[in-house]
């Protein structure tokens, strides 16, 4: 562990409150050995601003080690030189029930990542599906219960929403992002309950947190109707990538600067744990960006 004061973990981690269960998760991550900001494809990236690769690795390592401490599995994909954004593995695919839908990146700077992720999935025994449409994986596709929330407006196209529905045979709800700061859906929505249904040990209905101002009026109306009990996060917390978080149903890993969101989570019985990925935010990524969920065949969340 580095000497940076970048992670706050209760010791020992408290037992989940009644109604909250920490579920075992399996994640794919990529060590940011080649991290830098050498081009600009989102509003957060400023190539003229110096980056510290060693600091990025140290912060990433804290997140990696925290997942292991919480009892989760972490798989690693080898970083490729020349692809500094490969650390953001959430964009590397979308995985449900052992099937992996591979990305097709919008920008040429990231296009070379897609074959590496496809090869990793195939080697891991996943049923790997090559896309026809532009999509950026779990950056824009979030599984909530049995429904896929799909983002568009900046990266993934609407046609990819049709395609992802066909690949997984699930309902897809399209949501339009309008604020360029929140260019992927996982920067504006956090899935708080990865498992749905009492029979699976989860709540009756999986819940989310989201930033209302990131969406157009029609999308906000959809979210209000489908998730009446959602946590509505303030812009101040969204702007520090507070919603770019990872949850096992009880422990929610968030940015230490998202103090309002942290309070909201505690009030709802979740256990927020803060990890500082400030260096990786220089590339426009946070906790969820660095975390791709690997849902194996038969995982309970896809049987809800």
């Amino acid at each position: 562990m580095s000497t940076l004061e970048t992670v706050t973990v209760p010791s020992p981690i408290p037992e989940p409150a009644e109604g909250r269960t920490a579920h075992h998760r399996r994640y794919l991550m990529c060590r940011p050995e080649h991290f830098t900001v050498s081009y600009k494809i989102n509003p957060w990236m400023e190539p003229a601003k110096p980056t510290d690769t060693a600091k990025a690795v140290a912060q990433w390592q804290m997140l990696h080690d925290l997942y292991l401490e919480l009892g989760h599995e972490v798989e690693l994909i080898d970083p490729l030189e020349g692809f500094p954004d490969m650390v953001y593995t959430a964009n590397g695919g979308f995985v449900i029930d052992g099937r992996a839908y591979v990305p097709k990146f919008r920008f040429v700077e990231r296009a070379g990542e897609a074959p590496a992720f496809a090869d990793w999935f195939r080697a891991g025994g996943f049923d790997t599906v090559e896309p026809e449409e532009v999509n950026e994986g779990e950056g824009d596709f979030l599984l909530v219960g049995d429904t896929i929330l799909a983002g568009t407006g900046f990266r993934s196209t609407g046609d990819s929403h049709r395609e992802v529905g066909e690949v997984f045979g699930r309902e897809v709800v399209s949501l339009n992002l309008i604020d360029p700061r929140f260019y992927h859906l996982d920067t504006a929505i956090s899935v708080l309950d990865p498992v749905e249904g009492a029979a699976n040990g989860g709540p009756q209905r999986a819940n989310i947190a989201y930033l209302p101002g990131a969406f157009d009026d029609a999308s906000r109306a959809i979210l209000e109707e489908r998730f009446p009990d959602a946590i509505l996060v303030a812009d101040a917390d969204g702007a520090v990538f507070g919603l770019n978080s990872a949850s096992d149903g009880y422990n929610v890993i968030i940015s230490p600067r998202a103090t309002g969101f942290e309070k909201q989570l505690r009030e709802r019985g979740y256990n927020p744990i803060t990890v500082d990925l400030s260096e990786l935010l220089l590339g426009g990524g946070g906790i969820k960006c660095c975390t791709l969920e690997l849902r194996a065949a038969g995982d309970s969340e896809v049987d809800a």
Side-chain angles (χ1 to χ4, degrees):
M1 296 286 281
S2 109
T3 58
L4 297 170
E5 295 288 338
T6 55
V7 60
T8 303
V9 183
S11 182
I13 295 171
E15 290 297 316
E18 185 176 356
R20 302 285 179 220
T21 302
H23 296 273
H24 177 266
R25 318 311 299 154
R26 184 181 175 210
Y27 299 132
L28 177 63
M29 300 182 72
C30 181
R31 191 180 306 276
E33 293 177 3
H34 307 296
F35 176 74
T36 188
V37 177
S38 57
Y39 49 79
K40 185 178 179 69
I41 60 173
N42 68 59
W44 303 89
M45 304 177 91
E46 295 293 344
K49 187 173 183 178
T51 54
D52 185 334
T53 303
K55 182 177 179 181
V57 171
Q59 291 182 340
W60 176 93
Q61 190 69 49
M62 289 183 175
L63 178 63
H64 171 277
D65 293 351
L66 175 59
Y67 285 145
L68 296 181
E69 182 178 347
L70 293 173
H72 304 313
E73 294 179 65
V74 178
E75 304 283 346
L76 296 176
I77 184 171
D78 291 334
L80 299 179
E81 189 172 359
F83 295 97
D85 288 346
M86 200 168 169
V87 61
Y88 307 127
T89 53
N91 307 142
F94 186 45
V95 184
I96 304 176
D97 204 21
R99 169 171 280 195
Y101 176 53
V102 178
K104 184 176 181 180
F105 289 96
R106 177 181 175 185
F107 292 104
V108 66
E109 289 88 348
R110 299 197 66 182
E113 297 176 35
F117 281 105
D119 289 345
W120 190 92
F121 289 130
R122 291 191 187 98
F126 290 87
D127 175 16
T128 304
V129 180
E130 295 280 356
E132 295 183 4
E133 306 296 342
V134 172
N135 82 88
E136 301 202 348
E138 208 168 45
D140 271 332
F141 301 135
L142 300 175
L143 184 65
V144 186
D146 201 44
T147 300
I148 297 170
L149 301 183
T152 190
F154 297 101
R155 296 295 183 88
S156 301
T157 66
D159 286 344
S160 69
H161 296 186
R162 170 195 54 78
E163 188 173 67
V164 76
E166 293 172 353
V167 168
F168 294 109
R170 293 167 186 266
E171 178 190 19
V172 176
V173 176
S174 293
L175 301 168
N176 193 44
L177 296 159
I178 59 172
D179 187 329
R181 295 175 300 165
F182 309 107
Y183 58 93
H184 276 145
L185 192 65
D186 70 355
T187 67
I189 290 180
S190 177
V191 180
L192 300 178
D193 302 307
V195 174
E196 181 177 84
N200 300 314
Q204 183 176 355
R205 292 187 62 186
N207 204 7
I208 66 170
Y210 68 94
L211 177 64
F215 300 94
D216 64 13
D217 291 343
S219 299
R220 283 199 301 273
I222 291 170
L223 291 169
E224 289 168 4
E225 179 182 2
R226 286 182 171 258
F227 303 99
D229 297 323
I231 295 176
L232 305 185
V233 173
D235 186 87
D237 291 318
V240 293
F241 267 35
L243 282 162
N244 195 246
S245 60
S247 175
D248 61 19
Y250 173 58
N251 303 294
V252 186
I253 318 304
I254 66 170
S255 165
R257 293 185 288 171
T259 55
F261 185 34
E262 179 179 3
K263 181 180 179 182
Q264 289 174 303
L265 288 167
R266 292 193 189 282
E267 290 172 347
R268 297 291 189 97
Y270 296 97
N271 181 48
I273 304 174
T274 61
V275 177
D276 182 12
L277 295 190
S278 57
E279 197 66 20
L280 291 166
L281 182 56
L282 297 177
I287 291 161
K288 179 66 189 74
C289 290
C290 295
T291 309
L292 174 62
E293 182 119 20
L294 300 173
R295 303 175 184 87
D299 279 359
S300 60
E301 71 268 29
V302 300
D303 297 330

